[in-house]
Amino acid sequence: KVNGVTLATEESGTVTLENPQIKDSSNNLVFDQSGSRPVLKNVDIKDSSNNLILDQSGTNPVLKNVEVVNNSSMMFRNKLINGDMRIDQRNAGAAVTGVGGTPGVYSLDRFRNGFPSTTARYSIQQVNDAPAGFYNSLKVTITTPESSLASNSVSVIGQIIEGFNCYDIKTTGAQKPTAFSFWVKSSKTGTFVVEFGDFPNARAVSATYTISSANTWEYKTIAFPADTGATWTASNSSAAILQFFLFAGSDFTSGTLQTTWASYTNANRAVGQSNLADTNGATFYITGVQLEVGTVATPFEHRPIGVELSLCKRYYATGRVSGLVGYAGGRLSSFTDVNFEVEMRAIPTAYVSYNGTVGTIRDNNNGTALTGWTTIEGTNQYIAVRNSNNSVGAANHHFSTTYFADSEL
């Protein structure tokens, strides 16, 4: 005992410390047993190789050099869908060509190009080229170069995020910082820009990253600050957009890079961006793209492929539909219903096609194509398809076709 306080007890050769308060040489408390459970304070913990794994030097403890294992509280932390580029419902790995002149061209699921002002053109394709731990990536290949960019030439690849999936980032009074991480490979080295945008409030923040080695996969992390100047609501409308600049003319690079949230100012959006379009055949790959709440990026969240496909089908879906023709020729009220596997974000734009021609089905009894089938009334759960011609085939003949439904943001 010291001053009447028991510091240790001994029983059968075992010494037990009783409620010690251990301090370091500077009198900082490092082991506190004053509460119901012992607490380490102001201690940096290292592994057997002397790597720092718990850093308590700041206001909040930070894990470093630690593999985070997902559990129920960590699942679905990635705000982006198809970040590992496994899903390509539209093209099944075929290249989408001539991209650059029209914005909003979707390639791999949930990823689209943006901005129309460019003479450069490129292709986008799902490929089997990826860093360890991944299988697919999104590949951009310049097919029509623009070595000297016009002032308004600009193009991006990115994803729009639905309000229901990200409103917690900008909830009133609780706006949060986010961590963005991804793998990138390019034939061109230099400085590149990513932008985190706010659709309803017309705001954005940008950040740069450096591709150091040509044709080499590199892992990048970026910390975006919280935006206390705006909020998002829980809705099925566009809220956030995360996009990679491929090239940008002086209209987008002549100012000062906007590294804090503010209203869109074009001149500040892509300052420092390299020109991927200056060389025919130049390439740019991305995969493992993740956006999450917090200040530290965690390892990529690998979700089961069935789960990821279902998430994609909320925005774009395709599948086979078949049945019996219910009425003979001359009737305009021939219907069939298409029930979606996953409830879509909103009532989709939809059509059917058997042979590449919109509005066709196949009469499986005789192999002929029947035309004039159009989609009419529906919801985000189903659509009805009607034949508007005077010939719908023989009654009770079996038909089949493929539906395509688009509810992208």
Side-chain angles (χ1 to χ4, degrees):
K1 294 184 178 181
V2 175
N3 296 328
V5 177
T6 300
L7 298 182
T9 58
E10 186 272 336
E11 183 177 351
S12 301
T14 300
V15 177
T16 303
L17 294 175
E18 302 287 347
N19 303 316
Q21 307 296 305
I22 301 175
K23 298 183 178 182
D24 61 17
S25 59
S26 299
N27 205 38
N28 296 310
L29 186 63
V30 295
F31 187 69
D32 182 2
Q33 285 204 104
S34 60
S36 58
R37 300 177 65 184
V39 177
L40 282 174
K41 295 184 176 181
N42 305 306
V43 175
D44 292 338
I45 299 177
K46 298 183 178 182
D47 62 16
S48 58
S49 300
N50 205 39
N51 296 310
L52 185 64
I53 60 175
L54 179 63
D55 182 359
Q56 295 203 84
S57 61
T59 304
N60 297 309
V62 177
L63 283 173
K64 295 184 175 182
N65 304 305
V66 175
E67 182 75 18
V68 178
V69 179
N70 291 348
N71 55 38
S72 59
S73 63
M74 292 288 285
M75 295 302 291
F76 292 98
R77 66 189 184 281
N78 191 0
K79 302 298 183 181
L80 298 170
I81 295 172
N82 198 31
D84 56 2
M85 311 300 170
R86 285 182 295 172
I87 312 299
D88 186 15
Q89 294 186 86
R90 293 172 177 85
N91 309 295
V96 180
T97 59
V99 182
T102 303
V105 175
Y106 279 87
S107 49
L108 282 66
D109 277 58
R110 299 297 299 121
F111 284 87
R112 66 193 287 278
N113 77 312
F115 293 108
S117 301
T118 175
T119 60
R121 295 291 183 270
Y122 52 91
S123 65
I124 307 175
Q125 187 175 14
Q126 181 196 55
V127 294
N128 300 335
D129 184 337
F134 296 88
Y135 187 72
N136 296 115
S137 64
L138 181 155
K139 178 186 180 182
V140 172
T141 304
I142 300 298
T143 54
T144 302
E146 188 178 353
S147 57
S148 181
L149 291 173
S151 62
N152 64 344
S153 267
V154 61
S155 200
V156 297
I157 298 293
Q159 183 172 140
I160 302 172
I161 308 175
E162 181 180 351
F164 279 128
N165 293 341
C166 65
Y167 71 92
D168 58 312
I169 295 174
K170 288 193 180 186
T171 301
T172 302
Q175 291 92 335
K176 302 178 180 69
T178 50
F180 181 50
S181 56
F182 56 95
W183 285 89
V184 63
K185 182 174 82 167
S186 179
S187 61
K188 188 174 186 66
T189 59
T191 300
F192 288 76
V193 175
V194 292
E195 181 185 71
F196 187 16
D198 176 338
F199 255 114
N201 299 297
R203 294 166 64 81
V205 58
S206 295
T208 60
Y209 62 96
T210 301
I211 296 178
S212 302
S213 301
N215 303 312
T216 303
W217 281 107
E218 299 177 8
Y219 180 65
K220 308 297 178 182
T221 62
I222 291 170
F224 288 119
D227 181 13
T228 58
T231 59
W232 286 327
T233 57
S235 76
N236 66 346
S237 300
S238 301
I241 180 169
L242 207 297
Q243 46 196 12
F244 296 83
F245 279 87
L246 302 176
F247 49 87
S250 60
D251 287 355
F252 298 86
T253 62
S254 59
T256 301
L257 191 68
Q258 191 164 292
T259 56
T260 57
W261 284 95
S263 298
Y264 280 118
T265 300
N266 279 345
N268 299 337
R269 296 177 71 174
V271 179
Q273 170 68 35
S274 297
N275 180 15
L276 184 72
D278 65 1
T279 304
N280 191 38
T283 55
F284 179 87
Y285 304 74
I286 51 173
T287 194
V289 184
Q290 180 159 289
L291 178 72
E292 58 191 304
V293 172
T295 58
V296 178
T298 64
F300 184 81
E301 179 186 356
H302 290 277
R303 295 186 283 246
I305 192 166
V307 173
E308 206 71 31
L309 179 59
S310 293
L311 294 174
C312 291
K313 283 181 176 289
R314 178 169 171 81
Y315 304 92
Y316 180 84
T318 181
R320 187 175 183 271
V321 59
S322 62
L324 295 175
V325 175
Y327 300 91
R331 298 292 296 273
L332 299 181
S333 56
S334 300
F335 284 91
T336 186
D337 284 346
V338 175
N339 296 306
F340 302 127
E341 299 172 50
V342 175
E343 184 176 291
M344 303 198 75
R345 181 189 64 85
I347 298 174
T349 300
Y351 66 92
V352 294
S353 174
Y354 146 63
N355 58 5
T357 301
V358 174
T360 55
I361 67 171
R362 182 182 190 274
D363 185 326
N364 293 327
N365 290 66
N366 54 33
T368 59
L370 306 176
T371 62
W373 288 78
T374 57
T375 60
I376 56 168
E377 64 191 39
T379 69
N380 60 346
Q381 297 176 326
Y382 82 97
I383 53 170
V385 183
R386 182 186 75 177
N387 187 282
S388 58
N389 281 349
N390 289 328
S391 176
V392 298
N396 297 320
H397 276 206
H398 184 267
F399 75 88
S400 61
T401 190
T402 300
Y403 73 86
F404 303 86
D406 189 325
S407 187
E408 293 283 5
L409 291 157

